[in-house]
Amino acid sequence: MEQINNLEVVPCTDSNYLKPFRVHYSQNGTKKYWDFMRTHDSVSVLIFNTTSHCFVLVKQFRPAVYMSEWERSKPKPPEPSEQPEGTEGAEEAGTAAQPEASKPGEGDGEKAADEEGVASPPGQPPVAVGLTYELCAGLVDKPNLTLEEIARQEVLEECGYDVPVTKLRRITSYRSGVGVTGAMQTMFYAEVSDENRVGEGGGEPAEGELIEVVTVPLHEAMSFAYDEKIPKTMGVIFSFIWFQSNMSPKYKISTNV
């Protein structure tokens, strides 16, 4: 998971997961338009292991997060008043010299090493910036299955726990990515024990999934949720808060920061 090579950004002309559109409309007499993506709804599951009193999360590499951090780390072009030497002649000719856009892996900086000590090529951020902690989750792309059945499959495939559908508690549904997709995600809660563990999890390799199963102790949950140095989704934060409000009294353990 820590070795990411041969990064290349190309136009997306066809996708099984995202379909870009532009909608034109009028609002209060003003003509407007908005670009959006049509995508699948999804399910997510907050898993709590009652044997170890730990939450079970997944950790995986997210290219979108990684590339966002890579773009953010790029040097900003100099302001007009900070023109580098040697560009005066080009300005007069109307073709001011511009720095070449670098590609992932190119640059003059020293090699960066991620948290695991794996070196990245010069100019490329460490892989760790693209690894995120998330709830077990999956797309709603099986019309013959209920949301609960899809959630059960994801828990088994990603985390290795066999949870009966009847043991899944629906927390709530909400819109995600409202500025871009507006897709619906439904969140469930599942209590498991070590006896429910029937596999290692890790996702489906045939589908390109490479997932690490991780645990967060109950007494560290809120500190984990609010630690900005730990890359995580909003689903993790919200679900931990939900657990603190609805379930922690049952276990008589404080989850305060």
Side-chain angles (χ1 to χ4, degrees), residues 165-230:
V165 169
T166 55
K167 296 296 184 180
L168 286 167
R169 173 178 173 179
R170 184 175 180 140
I171 298 177
T172 190
S173 294
Y174 51 89
R175 296 287 179 180
S176 60
V178 293
V180 180
T181 68
M184 181 78 76
Q185 181 165 98
T186 302
M187 181 182 292
F188 294 92
Y189 170 67
E191 290 188 354
V192 301
S193 68
D194 288 348
E195 295 179 354
N196 300 123
R197 193 79 184 271
V198 296
E200 295 299 320
E204 288 289 342
E207 297 177 5
E209 291 183 324
L210 181 57
I211 296 171
E212 178 183 351
V213 182
V214 296
T215 59
V216 178
L218 175 57
H219 66 277
E220 298 178 6
M222 296 312 295
S223 297
F224 181 93
Y226 286 106
D227 188 343
E228 296 184 5
K229 295 180 182 179
I230 302 175

Side-chain angles (χ1 to χ4, degrees), residues 7-9 67 70-76 98-109 121-125:
L7 278 170
E8 182 181 6
V9 180
M67 294 309 299
W70 180 67
E71 289 290 337
R72 188 177 290 111
S73 68
K74 283 182 178 179
K76 295 182 179 179
Q98 298 292 332
E100 288 188 13
S102 60
K103 298 179 181 179
E106 293 184 351
D108 298 325
Q124 183 176 322

Side-chain angles (χ1 to χ4, degrees), residues 13 139 154 188:
T13 57
L139 297 178
E154 296 299 334
F188 294 92

Side-chain angles (χ1 to χ4, degrees), residues 25 37 48 50 64 92 98 108 121 123 133 140 162 226:
Y25 62 102
M37 290 280 188
F48 181 66
T50 58
E92 292 175 3
Q98 298 292 332
D108 298 325
Y133 293 85
V140 178
D162 189 1
Y226 286 106

Side-chain angles (χ1 to χ4, degrees), residues 77-187:
E79 298 293 331
S81 58
E82 300 176 357
Q83 287 278 354
E85 294 182 5
T87 62
E88 292 83 357
E91 281 185 346
E92 292 175 3
T95 56
Q98 298 292 332
E100 288 188 13
S102 60
K103 298 179 181 179
E106 293 184 351
D108 298 325
E110 297 180 355
K111 290 185 177 181
D114 61 18
E115 293 175 350
E116 288 76 17
V118 180
S120 299
Q124 183 176 322
V127 173
V129 304
L131 298 176
T132 60
Y133 293 85
E134 310 169 17
L135 297 179
C136 170
L139 297 178
V140 178
D141 57 359
K142 302 177 181 69
N144 58 315
L145 299 182
T146 66
L147 295 180
E148 288 80 5
E149 289 170 335
I150 293 175
R152 177 181 180 274
Q153 281 191 353
E154 296 299 334
V155 172
L156 181 60
E157 293 175 2
E158 294 190 359
C159 300
Y161 291 93
D162 189 1
V163 181
V165 169
T166 55
K167 296 296 184 180
L168 286 167
R169 173 178 173 179
R170 184 175 180 140
I171 298 177
T172 190
S173 294
Y174 51 89
R175 296 287 179 180
S176 60
V178 293
V180 180
T181 68
M184 181 78 76
Q185 181 165 98
T186 302
M187 181 182 292

